[in-house]
Amino acid sequence: MQLNDTQFNLLRRSMKRAKAYEGNLYSKKYKDIDVDGIRTQEDFESLPFTEKSELRDVYPLGIQAVPDEQIVRVHSSSGTTGTPIIIPYTKQDVEDWAFLFARCYEMAGITKEDRVHITPGYGLWTAGIGFQLGCEKLGAMAIPMGPGNTNKQLQMMMDLGSTVICATSSYALLLAEEIEKRGIKDKIKLKKGVIGSERWGDKMRQRISSELGIELYDIYGLTEIYGPGIGVNCSREEPMHYWDDFIYLEIIDPETGRVLPDGETGEIVISTLRKEGAPLFRYRTHDLSRIVPEKCPCGSPFPRIDRIIGRSDDMIKVKGVNIYPGQIEDVLKTVDGVSSEYQVLIDHVNGKDVMTLSFETSPDADKTLTENAVTAAFKTKVGLTIVPKSVDMGELPRSEKKSKRIIDNRF
Ligand code: ZN
């Protein structure tokens, strides 16, 4: 998808500001780049990518692009691997984010009448507060629960008649199972779920959706680019509309950095068009998806990306074969009697990689048959022979945080 004139103008204006702000990452990075000279798609695509490590290197506030008096808030990305990244926001950035998030709720058919039960965490995280900002902007009732304390979650859900649940997919599943277990489904008024922040498969989707009897929507976003709320799917189809009046999105080959044609799967790269506090250009998200070239039947003019199929850094190489978590789920969903929960264990035994795939099977399924079917499907679709391990439903760990499904013991 090519840059249009409006996007070009916004980008150049934003790049010039960042470059001119002393101490900003781009004042050095773009030192030898003539921003006014960026006129064609080719010019733009010749600009260097911005890597997450560069944002870490300028910790704490080296991506700030306006004076302190204009900054009203900071957020931080999870520092799972060392130094966190701090993202400063201006008043306008916060308003823009609320506007975009409200647009997501609207796209999902949520209205002022709704009562929105928000379970993602609050604090330095962008999660909870983003769901809340958008909800208030829309005019719906926010119920700011935050994560954890399942008893209280369910009590409030019943007492207040929450109609929308916002959660990670694992937590939504945990709540769905708990509602089922306690037999309180008739007291729950949920109609829709807005699910964010991690890759999740069709089987999990079906289970949450059918156990709770709700419509599910995927919301996309990352702390570095506002937070959740830069895209969501509509009620018609799975791919997510994204807001191209605020971001420009490219798909690249994660190995070579080449921009891929629309429709091909690769890594999402995002440039902010209007962000003031911390503008980013050609930022590598490491999320894997593709631009969906077809127009959506809903008629929305906003372009679309497919559901996230994984992270380019989650790619694992086993016996020389590249595997993404998304592929594993795609294989499992083809086998009857197999649930969405799985765990991968990779070992190095006698000079060879061994991949053990554990998955949950329904009580009426024959374990040996499902194991054979999964092995065969994996061999056909991914080209790798695995060791299958069928376990009972509920045996694999659930988590309120992002599930850690792949355990690599080789290194
Ligand atoms: Zn649509």
Side-chain angles (χ1 to χ4, degrees), residues 339-369:
S339 128
S340 56
E341 297 298 319
Y342 70 90
Q343 195 168 64
V344 170
L345 203 69
I346 305 161
D347 292 294
H348 200 66
V349 185
N350 300 331
K352 273 189 195 158
D353 290 341
V354 178
M355 174 171 154
T356 308
L357 176 60
S358 304
F359 49 87
E360 293 183 355
T361 38
S362 51
D364 51 335
D366 183 297
K367 288 198 169 165
T368 313
L369 284 180

Side-chain angles (χ1 to χ4, degrees), residues 107 232-237 239 241 295-300 302 304:
M107 183 61 88
V232 73
N233 66 295
C234 62
S235 62
R236 299 296 294 274
E237 290 191 346
H241 290 279
K295 281 261 173 294
C296 184
C298 79
S300 164
F302 290 107
R304 295 186 296 166

Side-chain angles (χ1 to χ4, degrees), residues 136-350:
E136 290 172 351
K137 183 85 178 171
L138 178 72
M141 183 204 285
I143 308 171
M145 298 299 298
N149 198 343
T150 304
N151 280 331
K152 195 170 175 186
Q153 298 278 3
L154 298 176
Q155 195 61 51
M156 288 300 246
M157 207 178 269
M158 291 189 284
D159 294 349
L160 288 173
S162 312
T163 57
V164 176
I165 173 89
C166 302
T168 62
S169 56
S170 347
Y171 197 51
L173 180 61
L174 187 143
L175 288 174
E177 288 177 341
E178 208 53 43
I179 287 166
E180 179 79 23
K181 208 187 290 173
R182 298 180 190 200
I184 52 172
K185 200 172 166 186
D186 58 332
K187 297 196 179 77
I188 300 290
K189 301 215 163 52
L190 292 177
K191 289 182 298 189
K192 292 171 196 279
V194 180
I195 308 295
S197 87
E198 64 183 332
R199 137 98 207 164
W200 55 309
D202 280 338
K203 289 231 165 173
M204 193 159 180
R205 197 177 302 269
Q206 277 159 18
R207 283 184 58 200
I208 298 169
S209 168
S210 67
E211 286 188 18
L212 290 176
I214 60 175
E215 277 171 29
L216 294 175
Y217 293 87
D218 282 80
I219 196 153
Y220 182 59
L222 55 159
T223 305
E224 299 91 311
I225 315 283
Y226 296 105
I230 58 174
V232 73
N233 66 295
C234 62
S235 62
R236 299 296 294 274
E237 290 191 346
E238 289 174 7
M240 299 178 283
H241 290 279
Y242 66 88
W243 317 132
D244 66 345
D245 46 351
F246 283 78
I247 57 168
Y248 177 68
L249 191 147
E250 304 166 87
I251 301 289
I252 63 159
D253 179 324
E255 299 248 305
T256 65
R258 190 172 64 90
V259 177
L260 296 173
D262 293 353
E264 285 189 27
T265 298
E267 181 180 329
I268 300 173
V269 169
I270 298 178
S271 300
T272 60
L273 302 177
R274 297 171 190 269
K275 221 157 175 250
E276 299 176 338
L280 288 175
F281 311 113
R282 304 203 85 204
Y283 180 66
R284 291 190 63 163
T285 66
H286 294 273
D287 287 329
L288 298 167
S289 181
R290 64 183 195 109
I291 288 174
V292 177
E294 296 80 26
K295 281 261 173 294
C296 184
C298 79
S300 164
F302 290 107
R304 295 186 296 166
I305 49 167
D306 236 331
R307 284 176 186 163
I308 308 301
I309 67 154
R311 303 264 310 154
S312 58
D313 3 62
D314 285 345
M315 189 179 83
I316 42 167
K317 219 171 195 162
V318 181
K319 296 186 210 170
V321 179
N322 285 338
I323 301 170
Y324 296 117
Q327 291 175 299
I328 298 170
E329 301 210 357
D330 286 346
V331 167
L332 291 180
K333 78 179 179 199
T334 63
V335 181
D336 283 340
V338 176
S339 128
S340 56
E341 297 298 319
Y342 70 90
Q343 195 168 64
V344 170
L345 203 69
I346 305 161
D347 292 294
H348 200 66
V349 185
N350 300 331

